Amino acid sequence: MTPIQFWTFLFILLSFGLYIYIAWRSRVRETSGFYVAGQGIPTVANGAAVAADWMSAASFISMAGLVAFLGYDGAIYLMGWTGGYVLLALLLAPYLRKWGKFTVPEYVGDRYSELVRTMAAGAAIFVSFTYVVGQMRGGGIVFSRFLGLPIPGGVAVAMAIIFTYAVLGGMKGITWTQVAQYSVLIVAYLIPGFAIAQRLTGFPVPQVTFGTLLNELNALSVQFGLPNYTEPFTARPQIDVFLVTLSLMIGTAGLPHVIIRFYTTRTVRGARYSAFWALLFIALLYTTAPAIGVFSKYNLLEGVDGQPIDQLPQWIGNWEATGLVTIAEGIDVIDSVSNNPADGADLTVDNDILVLATPEIAGLPAPIVGLVAAGGLAAAMSTAAGLLLVISSSVSHDVYFRRFKTGASEREQLRVGRIAMGAGVLVAGFFGVNPPGFVAQIVAFAFGLAASSFFPIIVLGIFWKRCNAQGAAAGLLTGLTFTTVYMIGTLYLGWPHVLGISPEGIGAIGALLNFLVTIAVSKMTPPPPAHLREMIESIRYPAARRAVPAAVATGRSDRT
């Protein structure tokens, strides 16, 4: 066993032992504890759990790699995901928490109808499956490189661990596990960042110092035939940069596994403070990611610049064994580097390895390499558990209990939920072994699906009392179908990107169609009942400012 494998195994064993212990101590036997942790989580802890749930393997493993290879255009992930969280925290979370339901489909069902609830549950399952695939893939990559397992074997181990602690503890166990996972992942992300900043710039604050390397990185990029790192719109058309950013932003605000987090606090005020703490915890990683991207790209290019094949750094051979780094045949010296195998470059480096490989690239000691591996797994496991809980609650609570067996006991609902969670792990594991793209790219697809399905009907449901069930059903179906068809066509059927819009950005167009169809159909059909419009008014305003029932009944306040 190499030193890197020893330290990786040690950190993973300790951290995973902690996660399972927490899940065992937090195990639940009632649905309120399984789905919303009994609404008893303190605000700071809930903020850390939100941050861990939201910062998935895409944020930890893949995002800095995309920033490294996309350069300026990689800012779409930083702006979209962070801006989307702010949008969720300010625009939606307090109102949804005040509504007081377990799940997003439950809110949709109360606001619109049982049919829309079932449609929303199906959409939640579909979005969550897409998202969890990226987490399984991230776990497989970590196990493959650092423990010598093949990627399918690594995915299988990740599946077993996630299933164990998610099924035991439900939301309560997952929440406290995610607090521990956030602590692991943020330490694992910041320590290498500080160490590499000190080594390259002489000052150990990466957020401040990475800009001093940009001119040198631009020169190295040009030398390798790549665009200037800081030049905009070289990797994507301008319209796609805008639409991907918007899609990630409104997709974040519509993600069911993040929204449900705001139901776990004791009060509405607690939900607001949780949002503040989560944003602070998220900012620690998201202000470091661009620096990690710059440092890793600089170290990568400088380390292979003009090097003969037999004198390449050791980390390349280590990662070549996983199949995520490839060297072209018949070359003597590395003259070109790419992240896309279709480019035919001398050296091809997968986006998903740069953060995990950064300590090795920079020559940091083996314990730090092992810590980063444990952090990557913590990020993947935390988000995957939250997503599996959404799948479980959607199947057991919103479909089985509401549509098929309304008299089901809590014990029966929990059993169905756990079976659904197990099935979800198996399906996600299969696609984790056979993914449709990079980890962050897969996650971007999930955000696009959430943007085109949930965001419009949630926003209109809160801020437009005239929105009705017919409009919501038509809008959700239109937006989700359009986005899904475009993604499948461009990814698997060879369709061209219309106007340069990528499958990651099409969710914004799907959301626009959802808005338009929902509004048009709602206008052409009868308004919601008076009692429902009054209830919406009570959610938006304090009780003293509720609409006068007579005015609501006559429909004069419909245009609120």
Side-chain angles (χ1 to χ4, degrees):
M1 181 179 288
T2 66
I4 288 178
Q5 288 180 323
F6 168 77
W7 285 103
T8 300
F9 182 79
L10 178 63
F11 281 122
I12 289 175
L13 184 66
L14 291 175
S15 59
F16 276 36
L18 175 63
Y19 305 154
I20 293 176
Y21 172 75
I22 291 172
W24 175 257
R25 289 297 303 268
S26 305
R27 62 192 185 279
V28 295
R29 294 182 176 85
E30 68 283 338
T31 54
S32 63
F34 193 81
Y35 294 132
V36 291
Q39 294 186 330
I41 302 299
T43 55
V44 177
N46 198 54
V50 170
D53 207 354
W54 182 77
M55 291 190 299
S56 64
S59 293
F60 189 101
I61 294 176
S62 193
M63 184 177 64
L66 284 167
V67 171
F69 280 108
L70 293 176
Y72 178 97
D73 296 345
I76 56 178
Y77 295 96
L78 300 168
M79 295 186 296
W81 282 332
T82 310
Y85 177 77
V86 175
L87 186 65
L88 167 63
L90 298 180
L91 185 66
L92 301 181
Y95 301 108
L96 293 174
R97 175 61 180 82
K98 192 174 181 182
W99 199 280
K101 297 299 178 180
F102 281 2
T103 66
V104 172
E106 192 170 23
Y107 155 76
V108 170
D110 282 2
R111 172 61 178 86
Y112 298 113
S113 70
E114 287 300 314
L115 173 62
V116 183
R117 180 202 301 271
T118 304
M119 294 174 63
I125 294 168
F126 185 43
V127 170
S128 299
F129 267 132
T130 306
Y131 201 163
V132 80
V133 165
Q135 315 316 308
M136 294 297 183
R137 177 68 174 176
I141 290 172
V142 174
F143 281 119
S144 174
R145 164 62 188 95
F146 296 109
L147 295 183
L149 295 173
I151 286 182
V155 171
V157 173
M159 290 165 57
I161 296 294
I162 293 170
F163 180 75
T164 299
Y165 74 74
V167 165
L168 275 176
M171 178 61 86
K172 186 178 180 181
I174 288 171
T175 297
W176 289 110
T177 300
Q178 286 173 334
V179 173
Q181 286 167 332
Y182 175 78
S183 303
V184 172
L185 75 87
I186 200 64
V187 169
Y189 206 84
L190 293 179
I191 287 179
F194 292 151
I196 298 169
Q198 175 66 39
R199 179 164 297 187
L200 292 180
T201 69
F203 189 69
V205 182
Q207 297 91 337
V208 175
T209 58
F210 77 93
T212 61
L213 292 178
L214 290 178
N215 287 335
E216 294 178 62
L217 182 54
N218 281 335
L220 275 172
S221 297
V222 172
Q223 184 176 330
F224 275 86
L226 303 171
N228 275 349
Y229 186 81
T230 55
E231 185 177 345
F233 314 126
T234 57
R236 295 174 179 266
Q238 186 172 0
I239 185 174
D240 193 47
V241 169
F242 171 77
L243 288 176
V244 172
T245 304
L246 180 60
S247 181
L248 295 176
M249 186 176 293
I250 62 178
T252 299
L255 280 178
H257 79 290
V258 176
I259 290 174
I260 198 174
R261 276 268 158 233
F262 295 97
Y263 293 119
T264 63
T265 57
R266 296 186 178 96
T267 62
V268 175
R269 186 179 183 184
R272 295 180 187 273
Y273 277 104
S274 290
F276 164 77
W277 284 109
L279 187 60
L280 177 65
F281 294 141
I282 289 167
L284 289 176
L285 189 144
Y286 267 62
T287 55
T288 309
I292 296 291
V294 169
F295 293 152
S296 59
K297 183 71 171 289
Y298 178 84
N299 277 325
L300 168 63
L301 296 183
E302 186 183 50
V304 303
D305 184 19
Q307 291 293 323
I309 296 299
D310 57 356
Q311 296 181 24
L312 289 175
Q314 183 179 354
W315 71 267
I316 291 179
N318 294 339
W319 281 96
E320 191 178 11
T322 68
L324 299 175
V325 170
T326 57
I327 301 173
E329 296 182 4
I331 62 168
D332 298 320
V333 177
I334 301 295
D335 292 322
S336 58
V337 177
S338 176
N339 64 330
N340 186 355
D343 291 343
D346 295 339
L347 178 67
T348 303
V349 180
D350 193 290
N351 286 326
D352 293 338
I353 75 160
L354 272 190
V355 169
L356 298 173
T358 289
E360 293 177 87
I361 296 173
L364 299 181
I368 294 182
V369 179
L371 181 61
V372 170
L377 286 173
M381 303 300 102
S382 61
T383 302
L387 292 164
L388 290 169
L389 193 67
V390 169
I391 294 170
S392 171
S393 62
S394 296
V395 171
S396 65
H397 186 72
D398 296 309
V399 177
Y400 180 77
F401 175 68
R402 289 286 182 173
R403 303 293 289 180
F404 295 104
K405 195 171 181 180
T406 55
S409 65
E410 287 203 350
R411 183 170 183 172
E412 187 175 356
Q413 290 182 59
L414 286 176
R415 184 170 64 251
V416 172
R418 284 167 171 152
I419 292 171
M421 192 177 287
V425 168
L426 293 175
V427 174
F430 172 79
F431 285 104
V433 175
N434 305 282
F438 300 120
V439 171
Q441 190 179 37
I442 300 167
V443 170
F445 297 155
F447 278 74
L449 294 169
S452 63
S453 56
F454 287 118
F455 182 75
I457 64 172
I458 292 175
V459 170
L460 291 174
I462 294 171
F463 296 102
W464 189 44
K465 291 184 294 183
R466 183 63 174 78
C467 188
N468 63 17
Q470 297 92 323
L476 188 152
L477 187 61
T478 301
L480 187 60
T481 301
F482 170 82
T483 304
T484 303
V485 169
Y486 188 89
M487 286 182 176
I488 293 173
T490 51
L491 287 170
Y492 296 109
L493 303 180
W495 292 2
H497 292 180
V498 179
L499 300 177
I501 301 172
S502 67
E504 298 99 299
I506 199 63
I509 305 298
L512 176 61
L513 290 176
N514 190 333
F515 271 114
L516 294 175
V517 171
T518 301
I519 292 170
V521 174
S522 294
K523 284 287 190 180
M524 293 186 292
T525 50
H531 74 276
L532 182 57
R533 286 175 279 154
E534 185 179 1
M535 183 168 63
I536 298 164
E537 189 83 3
S538 72
I539 297 299
R540 288 177 51 195
Y541 302 109
R545 294 186 58 193
R546 289 174 63 178
V548 179
V552 173
T554 61
R556 288 196 295 269
S557 62
D558 287 350
R559 290 179 291 175
T560 300

